[in-house]
Amino acid sequence: MSTLKEKIIEEIKIAGADIAVFGNADRFRDKNVKFLSPNAKTVICIAARSLRGSRRGVEEGTSYHHFTTVGLETLEETILPTALMRVCNVLEDAGFEALPQRRNQLVMSEDDSTNPEVSYKKIYRGRKAEHTLNFEECAVDAGLGELSMHGTILTDEYGPFQRYAFVITDAEIEPDPVVKPHLCDKCGECVKGCPGHAIAEDGTLNRWQCAAYYVGANGTKDPFMPDYAFENEPDRMDIIHGKVNLTPERAREIIDQVNFYPPIRHAYCSSICGKACDTACYIHLEKKGVLSKKFETPFRKRPEWFIPFEDKK
């Protein structure tokens, strides 16, 4: 007969997710785990792969909606919520309480930050009463993977290509070990891969800079950018080449001018960079041969493309 842990793993796979790991609630550094559920015994982290193929269009410069819709929106709005509900149902049927935790993309406790994946205009800021988990820290403490130099979770199977959510429960389930860091070698490819130079050499992310170039402010990587883009900006060519340092106010001005590609539903921004930092990281890990999920051909099959300087006069 299947154990509770085995039933949960089976349910997440039925829902279309790929990984379930279990951490003892007492080992979590985030105090919100026990604040949200004082009797918590276990935190379950559920992860779903972000399809490698959803980035193919961005990699080749051919199509762009697949990454945002399939690689992000479908996971956050369909796959992970379904997996959360199925796991919670299994736990409730067994007599345990289960508290699902998914990312709240539109609420931030910080007043001066942003979430590049959604429109800055739709974010509710300063909501300090909203107690949310630190997703990256909790993913590490649950045993999903390690934290990369640029702040993304890396797993042996998919590198940086997954999204994840959590269930906090009072069920005591055999924990999985915390992953000992072994994938990120601080190569700096994530820093070099960002089209907006939004990642510092130490991995620190300028979230407003990221937001502007996530949606396509770099004209050498945005085939939809018209010749007249930023025509009233004195530093337009520096903007187009990602050579400006944007303050939050300046970033908002730039973002408001980047409307060259149709928006995506559910407030998600259409990503033109396709999270180039993660792609660069994945390519490096694949070349090293350290990922357990193998493919017949390498992700990057030819030199990285760009639009020449002369095309953006």
Side-chain angles (χ1 to χ4, degrees):
M1 186 175 179
S2 297
T3 64
L4 183 58
K5 186 174 185 177
E6 289 170 336
K7 288 179 182 177
I8 288 171
I9 293 172
E10 179 182 359
E11 288 297 320
I12 70 105
K13 292 184 180 298
I14 291 172
D18 298 282
I19 304 172
V21 290
F22 303 74
N24 186 303
D26 290 334
R27 78 187 189 197
F28 280 72
R29 291 165 288 173
D30 192 334
K31 303 305 180 186
N32 279 322
V33 169
K34 287 297 183 78
F35 181 86
L36 292 167
S37 182
N39 296 322
K41 296 289 193 304
T42 303
V43 178
I44 306 165
C45 181
I46 301 164
R49 77 183 82 178
S50 179
L51 293 173
R52 193 172 95 144
S54 70
R55 289 170 165 80
R56 177 55 53 196
V58 178
E59 169 68 9
E60 306 294 342
T62 56
S63 60
Y64 284 78
H65 70 280
H66 303 92
F67 169 71
T68 311
T69 55
V70 178
L72 170 57
E73 182 186 49
T74 299
L75 299 184
E76 291 289 348
E77 304 299 333
T78 303
I79 301 297
L80 288 174
T82 301
L84 287 175
M85 292 304 298
R86 294 187 75 103
V87 169
C88 289
N89 287 345
V90 167
L91 288 164
E92 287 204 350
D93 288 346
F96 299 105
E97 187 169 284
L99 177 61
Q101 295 286 292
R102 55 173 293 195
R103 288 185 187 269
N104 193 334
Q105 300 280 62
L106 297 175
V107 175
M108 301 188 75
S109 59
E110 305 91 348
D111 288 316
D112 58 350
S113 189
T114 195
N115 178 357
E117 294 181 341
V118 298
S119 170
Y120 76 86
K121 296 179 180 178
K122 296 181 179 180
I123 295 174
Y124 294 85
R125 291 183 172 80
R127 298 304 195 269
K128 294 179 171 46
E130 178 76 3
H131 291 268
T132 58
L133 299 180
N134 180 323
F135 266 53
E136 286 67 41
E137 186 178 86
C138 286
V140 170
D141 291 346
L144 176 62
E146 67 181 85
L147 194 65
S148 72
M149 176 180 169
H150 67 294
T152 296
I153 294 296
L154 305 179
T155 65
D156 287 326
E157 296 90 339
Y158 309 111
F161 289 176
Q162 60 264 310
R163 309 286 295 195
Y164 44 91
F166 301 92
V167 174
I168 305 173
T169 179
D170 57 355
E172 193 162 358
I173 302 174
E174 179 187 1
D176 295 307
V178 173
V179 174
K180 183 178 180 180
H182 60 286
L183 292 173
C184 181
D185 57 8
K186 299 194 170 41
C187 65
E189 290 300 316
C190 54
V191 176
K192 293 185 284 185
C194 176
H197 301 97
I199 307 173
E201 292 295 329
D202 63 357
T204 303
L205 176 67
N206 180 333
R207 296 181 71 84
W208 283 103
Q209 186 98 2
C210 171
Y213 288 92
Y214 181 86
V215 296
N218 188 324
T220 70
K221 298 295 290 183
D222 184 350
F224 309 103
M225 184 180 287
D227 290 342
Y228 58 80
F230 311 120
E231 59 184 351
N232 296 321
E233 303 291 344
D235 54 350
R236 67 183 299 263
M237 294 312 298
D238 285 338
I239 296 169
I240 286 171
H241 286 270
K243 295 180 179 179
V244 295
N245 293 316
L246 301 177
T247 63
E249 294 74 23
R250 186 81 168 113
R252 289 191 285 267
E253 293 173 358
I254 299 303
I255 292 168
D256 288 346
Q257 297 180 61
V258 183
N259 53 3
F260 318 130
Y261 192 79
I264 305 298
R265 296 179 62 191
H266 295 127
Y268 289 105
C269 296
S270 298
S271 178
I272 299 300
C273 85
K275 297 202 75 172
C277 53
D278 284 352
T279 301
C281 175
Y282 179 89
I283 290 169
H284 175 70
L285 294 175
E286 186 179 57
K287 284 181 179 178
K288 286 179 63 179
V290 295
L291 299 178
S292 61
K293 178 65 176 173
K294 307 294 183 182
F295 289 85
E296 293 296 320
T297 58
F299 181 78
R300 180 152 289 166
K301 300 176 174 63
R302 55 190 63 84
E304 184 179 3
W305 72 273
F306 67 96
I307 300 170
F309 174 91
E310 291 77 14
D311 286 355
K312 294 293 176 186
K313 296 179 180 179

